[in-house]
């Protein structure tokens, strides 16, 4: 199955809501990046977790990580609840 919603969110009661475990991974990804890990290293670390980017991909790839880092929706807007603080994203 291909992901229909952004990683970290699902559609519930006519709105986007956070998926707690996925949001936790997104926050950890940003912390790891700020600590000096590359997107490839983060993907490798994520592959030790049971949560996948989507059901179609058996493993995380650095492109999945990069896509999440570039997506401003994680900062929050009228369509998506905030997962990442702007200061963390800008670092």
């Amino acid at each position: 199955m291909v992901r229909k919603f952004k990683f970290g969110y699902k559609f519930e009661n006519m709105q986007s809501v956070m998926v707690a475990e996925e949001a936790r991974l997104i926050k950890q990804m940003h912390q790891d990046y700020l600590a000096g890990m590359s997107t490839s290293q983060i993907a490798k670390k994520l592959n030790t977790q049971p949560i996948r980017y989507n059901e179609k991909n058996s493993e995380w790839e650095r492109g999945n990580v990069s896509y999440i880092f570039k997506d401003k929706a994680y900062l929050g807007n009228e369509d998506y609840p905030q997962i990442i603080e702007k200061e963390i994203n800008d670092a």
Side-chain angles (χ1 to χ4, degrees), residues 28-38 41-42 45 91:
Q28 184 62 54
M29 291 164 57
H30 279 79
Q31 291 172 353
D32 290 343
Y33 188 75
L34 291 174
M37 289 179 72
S38 70
Q41 291 170 321
I42 293 169
K45 180 179 176 181

Side-chain angles (χ1 to χ4, degrees), residues 66-85:
S66 294
Y67 179 80
I68 288 172
F69 286 163
K70 292 176 185 176
D71 194 333
K72 300 299 182 195
Y74 295 108
L75 298 173
N77 59 38
E78 66 274 356
D79 295 323
Y80 295 97
Q82 182 180 25
I83 293 177
I84 297 297
E85 300 291 328

Side-chain angles (χ1 to χ4, degrees), residues 8-81:
Y9 300 102
K10 66 181 177 179
F11 193 69
E12 188 175 274
N13 297 323
M14 303 293 289
Q15 62 184 353
S16 296
V17 295
M18 269 190 274
V19 176
E21 285 299 305
E22 292 179 6
R24 181 188 61 77
L25 281 184
I26 292 167
K27 290 176 183 180
Q28 184 62 54
M29 291 164 57
H30 279 79
Q31 291 172 353
D32 290 343
Y33 188 75
L34 291 174
M37 289 179 72
S38 70
T39 54
S40 295
Q41 291 170 321
I42 293 169
K44 185 175 180 179
K45 180 179 176 181
L46 289 170
N47 283 323
T48 67
Q49 304 288 322
I51 299 171
R52 297 289 172 240
Y53 183 73
N54 66 39
E55 293 176 15
K56 183 178 177 183
N57 296 353
S58 61
E59 292 191 353
W60 280 86
E61 299 173 1
R62 70 176 185 83
N64 303 126
V65 176
S66 294
Y67 179 80
I68 288 172
F69 286 163
K70 292 176 185 176
D71 194 333
K72 300 299 182 195
Y74 295 108
L75 298 173
N77 59 38
E78 66 274 356
D79 295 323
Y80 295 97

